[in-house]
Amino acid sequence: MESALKPFRALAYVVGVMLLVLCVAMVLRYGFDVAGMSKVVAPIHGFLYMIYLVTVLNLGMKGRWTWQYMLGIMIGGTVPFLSFHIERRVTQRVHQDIAAAAEA
């Protein structure tokens, strides 16, 4: 499970930062009629979010998580700042699971 955690953590941060950049781009586009930045950032964020979804599935399958839990983690990549919080919670859970497995 540790091997699946590293890509998840990296992508949670990248997707979170890209979502914040996308929010700035949307403000520029719809508030100030500057569309150039959003035309570049939106597809990049969308592509990275799809990879994030795959990493969540990979981690969730290895951890034998419920679909509801994985869906909650996936939705975390759509709300600004939430992906950072979710990344910390998931990391703690994985480390607890690893420690529990080592004791057994």
Side-chain angles (χ1 to χ4, degrees), residues 11-99:
L11 278 163
Y13 278 107
V14 169
V15 167
V17 169
M18 286 302 295
L19 184 57
L20 295 174
V21 172
L22 181 61
C23 288
V24 170
M26 291 293 112
V27 168
L28 289 174
R29 181 178 192 151
Y30 295 110
F32 300 99
D33 201 30
V34 179
M37 186 174 173
S38 67
K39 288 182 179 180
V40 173
V41 173
I44 294 170
H45 171 70
F47 176 74
L48 291 172
Y49 183 71
M50 294 299 129
I51 298 172
Y52 171 77
L53 294 177
V54 171
T55 62
V56 171
L57 282 173
N58 182 36
L59 184 60
M61 294 296 189
K62 288 183 178 184
R64 298 179 188 245
W65 296 341
T66 64
W67 285 102
Q68 295 85 357
Y69 186 73
M70 284 191 285
L71 183 62
I73 296 169
M74 290 174 182
I75 291 172
T78 64
V79 179
F81 297 108
L82 187 58
S83 67
F84 304 116
H85 174 71
I86 287 178
E87 182 274 329
R88 291 302 320 150
R89 298 285 306 261
V90 168
T91 300
Q92 289 172 354
R93 179 177 177 166
V94 168
H95 287 190
Q96 289 172 351
D97 291 349
I98 291 171

